[in-house]
Amino acid sequence: DIQMTQSPSAMSASIGDRVTITCRASQGISNYLAWFQQKPGKVPKRLIYASSSLQSGVPSRFSGSGSGTEFTLTISSVQPEDSATYYCLQHNNYPFTFGQGTRLEIK
Amino acid sequence: EVQLVESGGGLVQPGGSLRLSCVASGFTFSTYSMNWVRQAPGKGLEWVSYISSVSTTIFYADSVKGRFTISRDNAKDSLYLQMNSLRAEDTAVYYCARAYGSFNWFDSWGQGTLVTVSS
């Protein structure tokens, strides 16, 4: 099974900060990686697909990069509404696996 | 508008069974693969099962293999998850999510249905 190691598990940022979240795959997954945002009590929302493609309607401050085993989600200038938990997901190989999540707190 | 609506959750005793449903609308259900994903209270997301558009390919997480069965009825635009031999650790919100092509995966999710396994 492919393990997705996401870091950090939690972080705090000030408004306007640049934030980077990393996911490392235990083996190569090409670019079959998506990023999701989940706010408390809400349904996960896809932000990025195919490693770097921005979901329609998602603010351009969100971006994704990477291929193979290392991937990043970047928020260029964090806003108060970005307070949430972020997950990566690999769907290159069954069983599909999520990272353990990164809780982002806005100071 | 794309909609996925789950139902069938509830309280069940350990060892019991439950059948979840997910009804789709606003898109051509029969052309999409579908997944079930769950989230235990206060925990992260866990992929549970996948079924291809015409049911020819099915996958399960090891944690549910042999106990859960995924199925679909394209005539009814519906996805199902039959859950047997339920355990306390199956307690979670269960979501259905669609997948299409190589990369259009998990773009739409249902609102979730809560399954609680407890005596």
Side-chain angles (χ1 to χ4, degrees):
Chain A
D1 296 3
I2 296 175
Q3 312 303 320
M4 301 300 294
T5 303
Q6 191 172 335
S7 61
S9 56
M11 64 185 303
S12 183
S14 299
I15 295 169
D17 282 355
R18 182 181 183 88
V19 164
T20 298
I21 299 168
T22 298
C23 255
R24 288 188 175 87
S26 59
Q27 62 189 78
I29 59 169
S30 183
N31 60 336
Y32 290 90
L33 183 110
W35 289 97
F36 298 87
Q37 176 192 66
Q38 188 180 32
K39 297 182 178 181
K42 300 296 186 182
V43 177
K45 173 187 173 183
R46 192 177 73 172
L47 302 175
I48 300 287
Y49 63 97
S51 175
S52 60
S53 296
L54 188 67
Q55 176 71 30
S56 176
V58 172
S60 59
R61 63 180 180 273
F62 291 91
S63 64
S65 65
S67 184
T69 61
E70 187 145 342
F71 302 85
T72 58
L73 173 71
T74 299
I75 310 173
S76 60
S77 176
V78 76
Q79 300 301 303
E81 60 267 30
D82 300 336
S83 177
T85 301
Y86 294 84
Y87 296 93
C88 62
L89 164 73
Q90 73 81 17
H91 58 96
N92 182 65
N93 280 94
Y94 147 82
F96 312 129
T97 41
F98 288 90
Q100 60 266 57
T102 295
R103 182 173 293 182
L104 173 61
E105 172 196 283
I106 309 300
K107 294 177 194 170
Chain B
E1 181 195 1
V2 172
Q3 274 202 309
L4 295 167
V5 180
E6 300 97 336
S7 61
L11 175 64
V12 61
Q13 292 188 337
S17 299
L18 217 50
R19 189 196 197 205
L20 306 184
S21 299
C22 168
V23 177
S25 61
F27 66 102
T28 306
F29 178 74
S30 61
T31 65
Y32 280 74
S33 299
M34 296 296 296
N35 293 271
W36 287 100
V37 175
R38 69 184 180 183
Q39 187 169 37
K43 302 297 184 183
L45 300 168
E46 179 188 15
W47 171 80
V48 172
S49 186
Y50 163 94
I51 186 168
S52 61
S53 59
V54 291
S55 305
T56 49
T57 301
I58 287 174
F59 298 133
Y60 298 100
D62 285 347
S63 57
V64 306
K65 201 176 296 182
R67 301 186 299 122
F68 289 12
T69 302
I70 192 171
S71 63
R72 64 190 295 161
D73 184 339
N74 287 343
K76 296 182 178 179
D77 292 337
S78 294
L79 172 74
Y80 306 102
L81 187 68
Q82 177 67 43
M83 304 186 297
N84 298 331
S85 303
L86 282 162
R87 306 166 180 167
E89 54 265 36
D90 296 318
T91 294
V93 174
Y94 285 74
Y95 298 100
C96 59
R98 69 177 191 173
Y100 185 84
S102 294
F103 294 106
N104 198 11
W105 282 51
F106 299 90
D107 66 325
S108 291
W109 298 56
Q111 85 289 349
T113 188
L114 176 63
V115 172
T116 303
V117 184
S118 175
S119 54

